[in-house]
Amino acid sequence: MPRVGRIAPLFLVAVLVSSTWAQVAIPRFGTRGDVPPTLVEEFAIALRAGVRDVGGLDVAEADLITPGIAGSLDPESAVFIAELEGVRFAVSGEIARVGPEGTPEPFRINLIVLDAREGRSTDLINRPLRPEGTAEIAREIAEVIVNFTRPEPALPRGNSVLFISSQPSEADIFVNGSSVGKTSEAGILMLAPGRYEIELRKEGFLLETRTVELHDSDTRFVHVVLSPISGGIIQVDAEPEANVLLDGQPQGVTPVAFPALPGDHTVSLTRGGFYTKRVPLSVRNYRVTRLEERLEPATNPLVFWHASPETLVFFDDVLQSDGFVTDLTGGLVVIEVRRGGVVLRDIREVPASGAFELDLETGELIPYVH
């Protein structure tokens, strides 16, 4: 632990006082670029209030933590904050300027949450931040913090056997989001039949995911060879699904995860019928940066769907091959969906304004909220 010099007695007082009531420490975050001090203060106040309101948790404001420590985004710094405040959970993060004044999202908030007792931390949480939307974003992040402090849900036990191994070993195993140990020590999992999402993480290696369907009295062995990386991982999801580019290079379709070198990058999300969204973000060594975005329709009205080669969609008997149709004025439209020898044909009324997702199973137009 770093030396604290003459202010050690003050920190000791803070530990003794906060340990009697606080559960999570949320300091005033660090900054990167030109960020107004008032925005930093407003966000800290809103985030602390949100954690208290959402989870009923007691919050230590960690006034003695410097912005340099609070904004480091390293788990070790978050441990330092937790120990100084005498709490189990601590938050560290930064507010970064990513655009000039007048842009829709001139700032982004990057943070991690750490459990000092269990030695676990969240991935890098990355959200856009607008001065006029401070309370809304703070509330959203407060829910993430509160959920992290709650016990992980127990996996359903049953008579199906699941054994997970990796090369190299000592990879952290998550099944349906719940930590079950490492590949060298988890042993055999006895689970109820069902569908399970497996995620393996090891520092210095690419995150790997697998999906397993267990049947009654089933036995499944899952062995994963991990790929070494230099840098971190960016995991992107979008609504609706979109093409992902990293610094202009294609990375696949959401949801997708891919490695990236440390430093500043730009992730672009593109989809026909929607405005392209460009998100600047920072990648840290051996950290996962998660990005979740909603795209904004570029035309009005707009109807879109999840396009696939085996599905044909017609509007008024005209084939639409791009997964969206924009030349609409509203009113009754004949929609026909052909897939796997099945034809669904119906008359739907398209409103004169708004964006709608076409349900390919029912033909319904579902309003898209962005």
Side-chain angles (χ1 to χ4, degrees):
M1 181 180 295
R3 296 177 61 87
V4 293
R6 290 187 176 182
I7 61 174
L10 294 178
F11 280 128
L12 180 58
V13 171
V15 170
L16 293 176
V17 173
S18 63
S19 63
T20 61
W21 60 273
Q23 296 162 295
V24 57
I26 303 178
R28 189 173 183 269
F29 289 168
T31 60
R32 181 157 49 90
D34 182 18
V35 180
T38 53
L39 177 62
V40 180
E41 185 65 26
E42 289 173 3
F43 182 79
I45 293 173
L47 184 60
R48 292 163 184 162
V51 170
R52 294 185 184 108
D53 294 343
V54 172
L57 301 178
D58 292 319
V59 178
E61 298 183 1
D63 291 330
L64 297 180
I65 300 299
T66 65
I69 295 175
S72 69
L73 291 172
D74 290 323
E76 291 79 6
S77 296
V79 170
F80 184 64
I81 296 171
E83 290 178 347
L84 289 176
E85 292 298 319
V87 298
R88 174 175 176 178
F89 302 99
V91 182
S92 69
E94 65 175 10
I95 298 177
R97 177 177 284 278
V98 295
E101 293 290 345
T103 54
E105 297 172 352
F107 306 99
R108 291 196 80 85
I109 178 75
N110 303 299
L111 61 84
I112 63 171
V113 190
L114 177 122
D115 181 348
R117 181 188 302 173
E118 300 294 335
R120 62 189 181 98
S121 65
T122 64
D123 296 324
L124 188 64
I125 300 169
N126 182 289
R127 295 287 190 278
L129 181 62
R130 307 180 308 276
E132 66 275 14
T134 300
E136 177 184 352
I137 296 300
R139 183 84 176 189
E140 178 183 331
I141 295 178
E143 293 178 354
V144 175
I145 295 172
V146 170
N147 288 336
F148 180 76
T149 66
R150 290 171 174 163
E152 295 176 339
L155 294 170
R157 294 184 58 81
N159 62 354
S160 299
V161 177
L162 177 61
F163 180 81
I164 305 170
S165 62
S166 70
Q167 180 184 346
S169 60
E170 297 295 320
D172 294 311
I173 307 172
F174 295 84
V175 178
N176 287 358
S178 295
S179 175
V180 296
K182 296 181 180 293
T183 50
S184 61
E185 63 186 32
I188 294 176
L189 300 176
M190 301 298 298
L191 301 173
R195 185 183 182 88
Y196 294 91
E197 301 294 332
I198 302 170
E199 188 174 276
L200 295 183
R201 302 184 186 183
K202 184 176 176 66
E203 187 171 294
F205 292 83
L206 183 64
L207 175 146
E208 297 283 352
T209 59
R210 299 289 188 273
T211 300
V212 174
E213 185 79 32
L214 293 179
H215 302 286
D216 188 52
S217 301
D218 206 357
T219 299
R220 295 292 300 273
F221 294 88
V222 176
H223 180 72
V224 179
V225 178
L226 302 175
S227 301
I229 62 170
S230 174
I233 298 169
I234 302 175
Q235 190 164 356
V236 187
D237 201 358
E239 184 61 38
E241 67 181 21
N243 298 303
V244 180
L245 297 91
L246 177 66
D247 300 329
Q249 299 301 312
Q251 302 297 325
V253 179
T254 58
V256 64
F258 48 89
L261 294 174
D264 296 332
H265 298 273
T266 299
V267 171
S268 300
L269 301 173
T270 66
R271 181 188 172 100
F274 291 81
Y275 288 112
T276 295
K277 190 157 195 175
R278 295 179 176 86
V279 180
L281 49 78
S282 294
V283 172
R284 304 296 177 99
N285 264 326
Y286 312 134
R287 301 295 299 173
V288 177
T289 300
R290 294 185 186 271
L291 190 64
E292 298 178 4
E293 300 290 338
R294 294 185 72 85
L295 303 184
E296 181 180 354
T299 61
N300 188 27
L302 168 69
V303 176
F304 66 94
W305 54 91
H306 294 289
S308 61
E310 65 273 12
T311 302
L312 301 178
V313 177
F314 297 80
F315 272 62
D316 286 336
D317 296 323
V318 177
L319 176 63
Q320 308 293 329
S321 57
D322 296 325
F324 69 99
V325 57
T326 60
D327 55 343
L328 299 170
T329 58
L332 296 178
V333 177
V334 177
I335 302 175
E336 182 175 306
V337 179
R338 302 178 186 175
R339 181 169 53 181
V342 177
V343 177
L344 173 66
R345 186 178 176 89
D346 203 352
I347 298 177
R348 297 283 177 176
E349 182 168 358
V350 177
S353 179
F356 305 87
E357 181 176 4
L358 172 63
D359 187 323
L360 299 179
E361 297 289 340
T362 65
E364 293 185 51
L365 297 176
I366 304 171
Y368 172 72
V369 180
H370 58 91

